[in-house]
Amino acid sequence: QQTNGASHTLSSVVRKKLQGYVGFANLPNQVHRKSVKKGFQFTAMVVGESGLGKSTLVNTLFNTQLYPPKEDVELTHETSQTVEIKSITSDIEENGVKLRLTVVDTPGFGDFVNNEESWKPILDNIESRYDTYLEQENRVNRRRTMDNRIHACIYFITPTGHALKQMDIEFMRRLHTRVNLIPVIAKADTLTEEEVAAFKERILADINYHNIQIYQAPAYEYDDQETIDENREIMSKIPFAVVGSDKEFDVEGGRRVRGRQYPWGVIEVDNEEHCDFVKLRQMLIRTHMEELKEYTNDVLYENYRTEKLSAMGIQQDPSVFKEVNPVQKMEEERTAHEQKLAKMEAEMRAVFQAKVQEKETKLKQSEEELTLLPSPLPSDTTTCASGPTGQLSSSSFNPRGIHLN
Ligand code: GDP
């Protein structure tokens, strides 16, 4: 079966041994150089009640003051009655590698008396970003495609130590098919080690019970054992118990660490014995950033796109590698609609002409009937003018016999 050139080539691939130097082993380096030159781009969303440490954690993650002064955020937030969506974009650089990072914040989430629909503006925002991307893909010129889609959503769980709240479950249930969900236990330093362990278990049980799909790193067959173990280790920490801080302290051993100070000591942000911050950063930035972007594009966005196009009545036959173009589809629909209008107009015109024709025939008939009418009585000659033949002309005919004088 030969549906297109690609499948033809695939079916006839033969493994060949090279007889000497060719040079394509350098391909990964070409890709590397190009991507370093182009730079990288990543968009993360943070969701959770205010005061859970979202901005502190983002600043801690990227080791920079990404967030504007807190007072500004708090001011706008107090006056608002709904969940707002705010984004901050910064260009950061590490060892010559540039990263354009956008953090999307959702002030107001969970802060109202009635938080039932708090998830809705957030879902709308995620979907409208997909719509924008879809629109760009369908443009004639796709050279300047901007990817503003959310690649990861860090969901902050209040450190109650009990279970997920209804609002948490509702949010995750509504959004898990649209975005990579990464749940974290906020301010984990406020719970003991045992409390964190029990809380994690309870959260995972709730997530399982409600069939919520949180982000899972895929395992590839080409991964080496070290990568597989590393991934397993990261995944075993979800939901990450995190601690954020922009303060540094001197601790024993002459070390200076980022952390939070308590009377009994310092909880270190970057110490894996103290919290899961390192693992979260490792997954989000060092090992899985591209993976999160790929999953967003290949699975989450693709599903959204299919749903959207199906809702528009566009079907795609997977056996045929033919792209459905919504713009073309809309054009076809417009032409069909115009043809329908033109047909209706022609029909109306035909009906109108038939009616005019009918009226004209009737008029002609009555005119003919009139010309055939017998002459009026001779006594009434004063009221009627008669022609030279003694016949009445239709113009002077007085059918009701009304006397004019
Ligand atoms: P946001 O409203 O969610 O962005 O919260 P902020 O980042 O502004 O933090 C609110 C308050 O919580 C500030 O006083 C922070 O210093 C504090 N805070 C932030 N992260 C942590 C944390 O991990 N543990 C503790 N105990 N406090 C934190």
Side-chain angles (χ1 to χ4, degrees):
Q1 192 197 344
Q2 196 175 315
T3 49
N4 64 10
S7 60
H8 171 70
T9 333
L10 275 180
S11 60
S12 54
V13 171
V14 184
R15 219 173 243 265
K16 295 269 186 193
K17 216 171 153 56
L18 297 180
Q19 279 153 0
Y21 172 81
V22 179
F24 60 79
N26 198 38
L27 268 174
N29 294 335
Q30 293 180 31
V31 176
H32 173 85
R33 268 187 27 236
K34 264 223 146 129
S35 46
V36 168
K37 188 166 162 257
K38 241 173 79 182
F40 296 83
Q41 182 259 340
F42 188 71
T43 306
M45 181 183 247
V46 287
V47 182
E49 290 167 54
S50 58
L52 279 185
K54 297 184 294 298
S55 34
T56 308
L57 189 81
V58 169
N59 287 344
T60 317
L61 270 173
F62 293 96
N63 222 347
T64 175
Q65 282 291 325
L66 267 174
Y67 264 82
K70 200 70 200 176
E71 309 81 59
D72 299 351
V73 179
E74 226 102 63
L75 259 180
T76 43
H77 169 200
E78 268 172 25
T79 51
S80 166
Q81 292 301 306
T82 52
V83 177
E84 290 174 79
I85 314 284
K86 296 190 162 189
S87 70
I88 308 162
T89 302
S90 323
D91 286 321
I92 50 181
E93 193 172 328
E94 185 179 47
N95 295 339
V97 178
K98 284 175 256 154
L99 173 68
R100 173 156 295 182
L101 175 72
T102 304
V103 176
V104 180
D105 198 356
T106 55
F109 178 84
D111 296 347
F112 307 105
V113 180
N114 181 358
N115 293 305
E116 247 174 51
E117 302 251 293
S118 274
W119 53 271
K120 204 164 182 309
I122 299 173
L123 179 65
D124 288 348
N125 185 273
I126 290 172
E127 291 188 343
S128 83
R129 286 164 187 267
Y130 285 154
D131 287 337
T132 311
Y133 196 80
L134 182 60
E135 212 176 279
Q136 291 184 83
E137 277 191 325
N138 295 325
R139 277 203 209 132
V140 176
N141 183 352
R142 303 196 295 190
R143 245 167 287 155
R144 287 177 156 265
T145 309
M146 286 277 294
D147 184 7
N148 287 326
R149 297 170 296 181
I150 305 285
H151 302 122
C153 172
I154 308 174
Y155 186 80
F156 286 68
I157 300 165
T158 317
T160 57
H162 307 301
L164 287 179
K165 295 190 214 169
Q166 190 52 40
M167 183 183 71
D168 303 328
I169 294 167
E170 197 59 19
F171 178 86
M172 292 201 244
R173 238 169 38 81
R174 300 279 185 172
L175 274 90
H176 70 141
T177 54
R178 289 285 180 257
V179 72
N180 286 316
L181 276 181
I182 302 173
V184 300
I185 299 172
K187 299 185 173 180
D189 53 310
T190 58
L191 299 172
T192 65
E193 219 173 293
E194 294 77 37
E195 281 170 334
V196 167
F199 194 29
K200 277 191 178 188
E201 226 170 85
R202 181 64 206 263
I203 291 169
L204 289 176
D206 279 351
I207 284 176
N208 246 338
Y209 179 79
H210 292 282
N211 283 325
I212 292 164
Q213 181 75 47
I214 51 175
Y215 178 68
Q216 295 287 332
Y220 296 109
E221 49 193 66
Y222 55 75
D223 278 346
D224 51 64
Q225 197 52 45
E226 199 185 327
T227 314
I228 294 170
D229 292 344
E230 194 180 34
N231 279 355
R232 196 169 294 146
E233 175 79 8
I234 293 175
M235 293 305 141
S236 73
K237 299 288 181 196
I238 295 177
F240 302 101
V242 294
V243 176
S245 171
D246 47 13
K247 293 205 172 59
E248 290 189 345
F249 301 94
D250 289 315
V251 291
E252 56 185 69
R255 292 181 300 131
R256 191 159 177 80
V257 298
R258 295 193 294 179
R260 304 197 78 87
Q261 193 170 36
Y262 283 89
W264 38 263
V266 173
I267 293 227
E268 298 174 29
V269 167
D270 298 283
N271 189 336
E272 291 199 46
E273 308 261 295
H274 294 193
C275 72
D276 303 328
F277 171 83
V278 171
K279 281 280 175 285
L280 169 69
R281 184 182 56 191
Q282 191 176 349
M283 184 184 103
L284 207 57
I285 306 171
R286 200 166 71 76
T287 57
H288 288 78
M289 191 177 265
E290 274 306 305
E291 201 64 63
L292 286 159
K293 288 178 73 174
E294 244 171 55
Y295 193 80
T296 304
N297 184 63
D298 300 350
V299 181
L300 301 167
Y301 168 69
E302 203 53 35
N303 286 346
Y304 177 78
R305 183 176 172 276
T306 309
E307 280 173 37
K308 179 110 188 176
L309 298 188
S310 307
M312 283 168 76
I314 300 168
Q315 292 295 326
Q316 196 163 313
D317 182 353
S319 65
V320 183
F321 291 94
K322 185 175 153 252
E323 272 294 306
V324 174
N325 184 343
V327 174
Q328 189 187 338
K329 172 79 184 167
M330 270 156 64
E331 194 58 40
E332 280 168 15
E333 279 175 1
R334 199 171 59 85
T335 316
H337 182 66
E338 276 170 5
Q339 279 170 354
K340 201 171 144 194
L341 280 180
K343 197 172 159 228
M344 273 167 66
E345 204 181 311
E347 278 172 5
M348 278 163 73
R349 192 173 293 134
V351 170
F352 180 72
Q353 271 172 355
K355 288 230 160 144
V356 169
Q357 187 80 36
E358 197 183 318
K359 262 274 182 319
E360 274 178 354
T361 319
K362 273 194 181 162
L363 275 172
K364 217 172 184 166
Q365 234 172 21
S366 46
E367 213 175 283
E368 276 167 14
E369 278 168 15
L370 285 174
T371 43
L372 292 175
L373 269 179
S375 308
L377 292 172
S379 60
D380 212 13
T381 47
T382 47
T383 56
C384 300
S386 60
T389 54
Q391 275 188 342
L392 280 171
S393 71
S394 59
S395 57
S396 56
F397 173 57
N398 186 347
R400 292 189 189 166
I402 297 168
H403 292 277
L404 297 172
N405 48 355

